[in-house]
Amino acid sequence: MKVFAISDLHLSTVVEKPMDIFGKSWENYFELISADWKAKVTEDDLVLLPGDFSWAMRMDEALPDFEIVAKLPGKKVILRGNHDYWWNTLSQVRTAIPQGFYALQNDCMRFGDVLICGTRGWICPDGDNLSAEDTKIYLRELERLKLSIAAMQKMRKPTDKVIAIMHFPPFNGRYDDSDFTKQFIEAGITTVVYGHLHGKDCRSNLYMKKFGIEFYLTSCDLVGNKLTEIL
């Protein structure tokens, strides 16, 4: 089984919110993603989709977006992003999404010898940049990650490979360590996938190794609308 990742699809099958207004990298982007997906992924493989899957505001609006991705091969793990307003309770999401999709929140999932854990994350501290509301969300996301890692540790076997996924970067713009990275280090997690960042001018490294961890940035416009192979 191979593991791939691509984030921030921002699909809008029903909602009128075309992404090509943001530049050429978004022109026909889903067609490019689909072609690359079909060329790389088999039904036995796993594709991680860490956030901002759909612009829909409600689940009934998001389902057509799920349907077009459901036609693509492989098992798909989704994580909530900051623009996934259609995501209500976890039980509602898991009941509604098509077969072959797996929604991750506060827990861990096993696919063969691969364990997937993680959380959405939030803006990381960089001086006094966090408002009171940002701090509240940041702390809540730390607790969500703690729950997910605890679930992973209960399932973990010596031969397992562990991948943590987040929507937000787990560090600030200077790549300082954070409470997120500290949890990864303590748990012995050495592979982390994230998204959220966009645009050619954003400060980003598609791949970076720091703190003994391999970090993969997989926002679709930054990776040329191609899936990144993680394992």
Side-chain angles (χ1 to χ4, degrees), residues 4-123:
F4 300 90
I6 190 163
S7 69
D8 298 79
L9 299 186
H10 289 289
L11 297 174
S12 56
T13 303
V14 173
V15 177
E16 186 59 32
K17 196 154 184 176
M19 291 298 292
D20 55 11
I21 62 172
F22 296 108
K24 288 188 176 181
S25 62
W26 293 98
E27 293 178 0
N28 301 314
Y29 76 101
F30 186 68
E31 287 79 3
L32 296 172
I33 291 170
S34 296
D36 186 66
W37 191 313
K38 291 174 183 176
K40 291 177 176 176
V41 182
T42 72
E43 291 295 347
D44 294 328
D45 295 331
L46 181 64
V47 180
L48 309 176
L49 301 167
D52 283 4
F53 179 80
S54 170
W55 278 118
M57 300 296 291
R58 306 188 310 269
M59 177 56 80
D60 63 303
E61 295 175 338
L63 285 177
D65 295 328
F66 276 99
E67 288 166 5
I68 62 173
V69 178
K71 295 176 182 177
L72 298 172
K75 301 173 283 291
K76 298 107 180 166
V77 176
I78 58 170
L79 182 80
R80 186 178 187 176
N82 58 306
H83 290 298
D84 288 319
Y85 301 114
W86 51 270
W87 187 301
N88 293 314
T89 67
L90 182 60
S91 61
Q92 289 173 323
V93 171
R94 286 179 171 170
T95 298
I97 58 179
Q99 184 177 0
F101 278 89
Y102 303 85
L104 179 70
Q105 183 175 294
N106 299 348
D107 55 3
C108 177
M109 296 179 177
R110 174 180 291 281
F111 300 89
D113 63 352
V114 176
L115 298 179
I116 307 297
C117 61
T119 192
R120 177 184 63 175
W122 200 246
I123 305 165

Side-chain angles (χ1 to χ4, degrees), residues 6-9 26 29 33 218-226:
I6 190 163
S7 69
D8 298 79
L9 299 186
W26 293 98
Y29 76 101
I33 291 170
T218 62
S219 302
C220 64
D221 60 318
L222 297 182
V223 296
N225 297 313
K226 297 179 183 294

Side-chain angles (χ1 to χ4, degrees), residues 154-177:
K154 289 181 180 178
M155 300 168 63
R156 193 176 196 173
K157 298 177 182 177
T159 56
D160 285 337
K161 306 174 187 71
V162 180
I163 302 174
I165 58 175
M166 295 183 65
H167 178 62
F168 282 82
F171 29 61
N172 60 28
R174 297 195 304 270
Y175 303 106
D176 295 332
D177 64 345

